[in-house]
Amino acid sequence: MKNSMLMKSGLPLFIVLIAFIAAAVMIKSRKPPEQVPVDVPAFLVDAEAVNSEQVSFIVKSQGNVVPRNKTSLSAQVSGQVVSLSDVFIAGGTFKKGDVLATLEQDDYRTDLKLAEAELAQAQAALQEEIARGKVAEQEWRSVSSVAPPELGLRKPQLAKEQANVKAAEAKLERAKRNLERTKITAPYNGIVVERNIDLGQFVAMGSVLGTVYSTDTAEVRLPITDSDLMFINIAGQSSEGVPVSLTASVGGVKRTWQGQLVRSEGILDTGSRVVYAIVEVQDPYNFKASHKAPLRFGQFVEAEITSRQNEQLLVLPRSILRLDNTFLTVNDNREIEIKPVEVARTTAKEVFIRSGIEEGTLVVKSAVPNPYNGMKVRLPGDEPVLSDEAQADAQSSSTDESEKVESNTSEGGR
């Protein structure tokens, strides 16, 4: 009975002990897992060798078309408006010397006749005084051999009559000018912007009759930033005229006109910090068929100024320039090198490098996360390069395989 109880209570403990011993033996006899080297190749980048090229910059700006000459016509004499030219109306075009309006001339013709009469009287009095002087000289010499005095020869009276003739001539000239001024003539080829008079209206001297613009030459006032001034050099090129291309949309069609940058206003605007350059366009209204379409005053245009200063620069995509003005390059050891550069100019798509990168250098054009100097990379077509850790794992695995092969060989021999 007692043996039976001992057997029932000791059997579970014995089984547990046997299981523990078996588990310990199995754990000790377990082989370590086979180590497989992790193949981590170097980061693949897209790089391209760069070369310098001759660069001529284009500076872009914009502005409004304005006339070179804008004149407010004024009356130099007073009078009633008796006639108006058909072209003297808003939008009418005229040529230099055309009569735009005429004032009443009757009073000025009368003044001209009076001036002519006064001149004739003065000339007659002068001739009479000349004759008197000759008579006085003969009478003096007939009674005396002494040289006659100037008063005896009536020279003061002669000078007075000569002055009267000059005054009459001046009065006649003024009368002619006043008569001519009753005709309001065009000072140049142009277009009428505004007319302030009408038929029958009386205008006083100095009254503004209308406003006209010249159409021989148009100007475009372009703001140039301080950073762009170094590329166009207005002061050095103004004598030759820098070519400028002007574009605008007219009736839904893009039009182009050619102009010349002739000068700058020479003053830096204190508010916007820009210098205004002046571009001239000849025959803007296309009267001589100089362009494909007229360039009207008030038109807003975009301008492209071509620089004549060629410079040897590297041209790279703007997207690969880092915020600290550096580029990622690849050296001969396929390692990343971060190089600072001197940027000459940047646009929305391109960046122009003056120094910092030599010709033939491989510049990385693809995105590289967290780059650093000495970072291993590879280029398309290169064999995959393992990292240092992967190479160590590969060497360790190779050693274990060699030892395993030798062990199997020795056991087979036994």
Side-chain angles (χ1 to χ4, degrees):
M1 188 69 179
K2 291 183 178 180
N3 292 334
S4 177
M5 293 295 291
L6 290 173
M7 288 293 292
K8 290 182 178 180
S9 60
L11 183 60
L13 294 176
F14 179 74
I15 294 173
V16 172
L17 180 61
I18 293 300
F20 179 77
I21 294 173
V25 172
M26 292 176 65
I27 291 173
K28 289 184 177 181
S29 62
R30 184 184 62 179
K31 295 182 179 180
E34 183 178 357
Q35 294 183 353
V36 178
V38 180
D39 187 8
V40 182
F43 192 81
L44 178 64
V45 298
D46 181 19
E48 183 179 343
V50 295
N51 296 301
S52 63
E53 57 184 84
Q54 287 287 337
V55 177
S56 179
F57 291 113
I58 295 178
V59 177
K60 295 185 178 181
S61 186
Q62 53 193 10
N64 289 318
V65 181
V66 297
R68 183 176 184 180
N69 299 306
K70 180 170 66 173
T71 305
S72 295
L73 298 177
S74 299
Q76 293 181 282
V77 294
S78 60
Q80 187 181 26
V81 180
V82 294
S83 68
L84 292 172
S85 172
D86 294 337
V87 299
F88 193 35
I89 190 171
T93 58
F94 52 84
K95 293 183 179 180
K96 182 178 180 179
D98 288 352
V99 178
L100 303 179
T102 304
L103 304 182
E104 186 180 11
Q105 299 179 339
D106 294 342
D107 291 340
Y108 298 102
R109 288 197 182 99
T110 301
D111 292 340
L112 178 60
K113 291 180 180 180
L114 288 175
E116 290 175 347
E118 290 181 5
L119 176 60
Q121 291 178 356
Q123 289 175 342
L126 176 61
Q127 294 300 325
E128 182 180 354
E129 190 58 44
I130 292 174
R132 288 180 178 179
K134 291 182 179 179
V135 172
E137 183 179 3
Q138 292 176 358
E139 291 179 352
W140 181 271
R141 293 187 182 279
S142 64
V143 298
S144 176
S145 60
V146 181
E150 291 186 358
L151 185 59
L153 297 179
R154 301 183 63 85
K155 288 187 176 180
Q157 292 83 344
L158 177 63
K160 177 183 177 182
E161 296 301 333
Q162 289 174 340
N164 290 336
V165 170
K166 289 183 179 180
E169 289 175 346
K171 191 173 182 179
L172 177 61
E173 290 176 359
R174 183 170 60 186
K176 290 180 178 180
R177 285 197 302 268
N178 288 339
L179 179 60
E180 188 65 26
R181 285 168 180 171
T182 59
K183 298 179 180 180
I184 311 302
T185 58
Y188 40 65
N189 301 330
I191 185 172
V192 179
V193 179
E194 184 181 10
R195 192 186 76 184
N196 301 331
I197 59 174
D198 212 332
L199 285 174
Q201 180 179 345
F202 181 86
V203 295
M205 183 184 300
S207 299
V208 177
L209 309 181
T211 303
V212 294
Y213 290 170
S214 66
T215 54
D216 289 334
T217 304
E219 292 185 348
V220 183
R221 190 168 178 255
L222 301 176
I224 306 297
T225 62
D226 185 63
S227 59
D228 287 337
L229 279 176
M230 63 182 297
F231 301 119
I232 59 177
N233 188 16
I234 299 175
Q237 296 180 340
S238 60
S239 59
E240 301 177 4
V242 182
V244 180
S245 177
L246 304 174
T247 58
S249 178
V250 180
V253 180
K254 187 176 182 180
R255 301 290 186 180
T256 303
W257 300 268
Q258 296 300 319
Q260 286 188 332
L261 179 63
V262 294
R263 69 182 190 278
S264 73
E265 294 185 353
I267 299 175
L268 186 66
D269 188 91
T270 56
S272 58
R273 310 305 300 172
V274 297
V275 173
Y276 285 93
I278 305 300
V279 174
E280 287 188 353
V281 180
Q282 301 298 325
D283 189 26
Y285 275 73
N286 208 25
F287 294 134
K288 301 177 182 178
S290 306
H291 315 286
K292 294 183 178 179
L295 179 62
R296 295 180 174 86
F297 298 136
Q299 176 73 55
F300 182 81
V301 295
E302 296 181 353
E304 292 185 354
I305 306 172
T306 303
S307 171
R308 292 184 178 177
Q309 297 178 353
N310 294 329
E311 192 172 355
Q312 198 78 13
L313 300 173
L314 297 175
V315 184
L316 296 173
R318 176 68 177 84
S319 58
I320 65 175
L321 177 66
R322 292 154 60 92
L323 295 178
D324 56 351
N325 281 355
T326 59
F327 280 97
L328 300 181
T329 63
V330 179
N331 59 20
D332 295 337
N333 297 326
R334 294 296 190 264
E335 294 177 345
I336 289 290
E337 288 187 3
I338 303 176
K339 291 189 175 182
V341 297
E342 180 185 355
V343 178
R345 192 182 184 213
T346 58
T347 64
K349 296 182 179 180
E350 295 176 323
V351 57
F352 301 89
I353 307 303
R354 181 172 286 115
S355 63
I357 299 179
E358 298 179 355
E359 289 195 46
T361 302
L362 293 176
V363 176
V364 177
K365 294 189 174 181
S366 57
V368 180
N370 302 322
Y372 56 88
N373 283 315
M375 177 180 176
K376 289 288 185 179
V377 294
R378 61 188 178 93
L379 303 178
D382 290 351
E383 292 293 332
V385 180
L386 299 179
S387 61
D388 296 338
E389 294 80 359
Q391 290 180 358
D393 291 342
Q395 292 176 357
S396 176
S397 176
S398 176
T399 302
D400 293 342
E401 289 293 335
S402 299
E403 292 178 353
K404 183 177 181 180
V405 171
E406 291 178 358
S407 176
N408 291 339
T409 304
S410 60
E411 289 179 358
R414 291 177 185 175

